[in-house]
Amino acid sequence: MTLQAIEAAAARMRGHVRVTPLLNAPLLDRLAGRRIFVKAECLQVTGSFKARGGWAAVSALPAGARGVLAMSSGNHAQGVAWAAAAHGVPAVIVMPSDAPAVKVANTRAYGAEVVLYDRARDDRDALAAGIAAERGLALVPPYDHPEVIAGQGSVGLEIAAQAAEAGIAGADVLVCCGGGGLSAGVAMALDARAPGLRVRTVEPAGFDDMARSLVSGQREGNAAATGSVCDAILTPMPGALTLPILQRLAGPGMVVSDDEALQAVALAFRYLRIVAEPGGAVALAAALFRDDLPETVICTVSGGNADPEIFAGALARFGG
């Protein structure tokens, strides 16, 4: 895991993924009492940053692989399915049965075969490993994979360049966190390119395994597998690859409630006119509603594949 790996992944995806904007809205700054810059990965191909890791992994498949298999609640699924279709490679995606219908439909629309499982009862990893072995597929997990982490690190390269252009030399960079692939990749890129910018992970309450793991120094699990509106970032525990990177490079983890995430969804739409899904808005929620932050904050809005009913409900409740 090196800066060179991130730069190589970024070079392979050039012309295929978007350089997403770093947005700012003065009225949002006034509401928060600090400057907030939003890295809008909800505007990325497939609607989330996962297109980056998907392209990085599929474009570096090992020789002899007959296709790819990914495990995802929806965003990684779409990223891998899109990249596989672009490379002419078969894709099988193992998805939880409670994944938003729009994410399942979009994954199938990219041409992938979807295999559903029960998040609370089934062993996702065993199911995926069995299918991959039977069909000769290369396993592309959602975060604990060197090429996936390198691909997500391209977000950090862009943040470093965009922050420099905006005159930002020091800030906390709040990153929506599930297993830590995006957080780890961004942290590595910023450590090399913008050492004044410090990554902090943000998770939903009850699923703060990364925050607790950063305190304990070992991989902590969650008591439940489901039960938050932030479906995109509900993971069993941090990655074996990602946690050591974040122990070395990240600040303390942060936690927000589901209601705070939904309020951030509404405010992102009101002030920035972007569509965020709840799991993709937790970093913005922390930027808006937490006090232990500097006067300038950069945060990711990591995904915009919102369930229509949940999005409409957030706007109705919080005045988007």
Side-chain angles (χ1 to χ4, degrees):
M1 298 307 305
T2 63
L3 175 66
Q4 290 70 32
I6 295 172
E7 291 173 332
R12 293 198 307 276
M13 68 181 69
R14 193 169 295 125
H16 302 286
V17 304
R18 296 171 185 151
V19 176
T20 55
L22 192 66
L23 304 176
N24 173 259
L27 292 178
L28 196 62
D29 291 351
R30 185 184 303 175
L31 178 68
R34 60 175 59 93
R35 291 198 306 165
I36 297 177
F37 291 84
V38 172
K39 181 62 169 166
E41 281 293 295
C42 52
L43 302 177
Q44 187 52 264
V45 179
T46 75
S48 88
F49 74 97
K50 293 287 192 177
R52 298 174 184 266
W55 190 277
V58 173
S59 64
L61 282 178
R66 298 177 185 173
V68 294
L69 184 144
M71 304 164 288
S72 169
S73 65
N75 286 334
H76 180 62
Q78 293 171 80
V80 170
W82 164 74
H87 285 83
V89 173
V92 177
I93 313 295
V94 176
M95 301 182 71
S97 55
D98 63 349
V102 65
K103 295 182 179 181
V104 176
N106 287 349
T107 301
R108 287 178 171 143
Y110 285 118
E113 175 189 346
V114 173
V115 176
L116 298 175
Y117 73 98
D118 187 310
R119 196 195 295 258
R121 293 186 302 177
D122 296 335
D123 186 332
R124 179 192 70 172
D125 293 345
L127 174 63
I131 296 172
E134 179 183 347
R135 303 195 193 181
L137 305 176
L139 190 61
V140 181
Y143 47 87
D144 226 14
H145 184 288
E147 289 296 346
V148 169
I149 295 170
Q152 319 307 24
S154 64
V155 176
L157 297 180
E158 292 177 18
I159 289 174
Q162 291 166 329
E165 185 177 353
I168 304 169
D172 276 3
V173 179
L174 310 186
V175 182
C176 308
C177 183
L182 177 61
S183 307
V186 170
M188 291 175 61
L190 294 181
D191 181 57
R193 293 286 185 85
L197 306 183
R198 178 183 68 160
V199 161
R200 296 186 67 181
T201 60
V202 187
E203 298 167 286
F207 299 89
D208 57 342
D209 47 293
M210 182 63 79
R212 289 182 284 109
S213 298
L214 289 172
V215 172
S216 71
Q218 59 188 15
R219 298 167 72 201
E220 304 285 350
N222 293 315
T226 187
S228 168
V229 73
C230 301
D231 64 279
I233 53 175
L234 304 186
T235 51
M237 65 175 57
L241 297 178
T242 60
L243 178 59
I245 295 169
L246 292 169
Q247 284 179 302
R248 180 168 58 91
L249 299 177
M254 307 181 75
V255 180
V256 300
S257 69
D258 275 10
D259 274 359
E260 287 171 329
L262 289 169
Q263 189 169 354
V265 167
L267 293 171
F269 185 71
R270 181 192 302 175
Y271 293 115
L272 298 169
R273 289 307 181 202
I274 58 175
V275 174
E277 61 189 281
V282 295
L284 176 58
L288 288 166
F289 305 127
R290 293 295 175 269
D291 295 328
D292 57 334
L293 289 168
E295 63 181 24
T296 299
V297 171
I298 298 170
C299 62
T300 63
V301 169
S302 57
N305 292 307
D307 177 275
E309 290 187 8
I310 291 176
F311 184 71
L315 300 190
R317 285 184 62 193
F318 299 108

